[in-house]
Amino acid sequence: MIGLSSAGSAGSISVQTTSGRGATPEEVASRCVKKVISIADTADPAIRDQAQAFSNQVEAVIAHYMKEAIKSDRTTLYNILINSGQTELAEHIRRI
Amino acid sequence: MAFTGNYMPTSFKSEILQAKHNFTNGAHTFNLALYTNSSSFDASTTDYTVTNEVSGTGYTAGGAALTNVTPTTGGVVGFTDFADLTFSSATITARGALIYNTTYGGGTGTTEAVGVYDFGSDKTSSAGDFTIIFPTASSTDAVIRIA
């Protein structure tokens, strides 16, 4: 008899929630960098430390540029609101 | 009844042998629906259901579409992944999730289950973000793996 067997499995999903606010750029950057860089627990300590330092640096860069994107988007929103006569709301957006 | 862990539905195992699911990016559309702990999903689950699905601001019955990451391999393991999913400005409580294929076999509006996922405890967002974080896309952690 010839047969082949294989095992399928479902990994674990985690959840991150916020209340009364959205996620901060730092929180999103932390999730993002975990998608980009994976460091094995079994890696050589010297390499692991170097990889962790690189990961931290990438996370900071991602967070910075996310903040830049948010600011730029607010500028776009500000102009949309100004152009539609919502000057008070536009000012609120600008001051965030 | 309650969530009792993560399961790859038995029906799904048969369906992939019939080429009914395509996880390639841009191919089939998979949704993720959220459920309360009154649900009783396990390996015998075959389809999405509205029974015990969560309701609340920022959530629509049926859940939301996922972004597929094209399957790949690591060692002898084949695996696939999805991009994280956020329900924004949401006021909801969920204990687990069901991923299902809405374009099963190339159809539309289908409900075939792909995976059952237990969050381990109730998760709540209040006028905030409810974000589903998928594990690292690796041969040991990915959300759907075939060894």
Side-chain angles (χ1 to χ4, degrees), chain B residues 86-114:
Chain B
T86 297
F87 296 92
S88 301
S89 304
T91 300
I92 49 177
T93 296
R95 167 57 193 257
L98 178 77
I99 296 177
Y100 64 100
N101 189 346
T102 68
T103 54
Y104 172 82
T108 57
T110 59
T111 60
E112 279 74 8
V114 165

Side-chain angles (χ1 to χ4, degrees), chain A residues 26-92:
Chain A
E26 287 78 10
E27 289 167 341
V28 179
S30 175
R31 283 197 285 119
C32 177
V33 79
K34 288 183 177 68
K35 286 282 185 186
V36 177
I37 302 169
S38 178
I39 304 168
D41 292 335
T42 53
D44 179 89
I47 294 172
R48 191 174 63 222
D49 290 348
Q50 199 170 6
Q52 188 59 55
F54 177 67
S55 174
N56 294 343
Q57 196 169 0
V58 169
E59 185 175 329
V61 170
I62 292 169
H64 172 76
Y65 280 94
M66 288 185 69
K67 289 174 186 172
E68 292 290 304
I70 290 168
K71 280 197 289 186
S72 184
D73 187 57
R74 283 188 187 148
T75 300
T76 302
L77 282 175
Y78 172 83
N79 281 284
I80 289 171
L81 292 169
I82 286 288
N83 292 337
S84 62
Q86 304 286 334
T87 52
E88 193 175 342
L89 192 52
E91 194 57 24
H92 279 302

Side-chain angles (χ1 to χ4, degrees), chain B residues 43-59:
Chain B
S44 68
T45 299
T46 60
D47 288 88
Y48 159 79
T49 175
V50 296
T51 304
N52 298 313
E53 188 172 10
V54 306
S55 62
T57 304
Y59 184 85

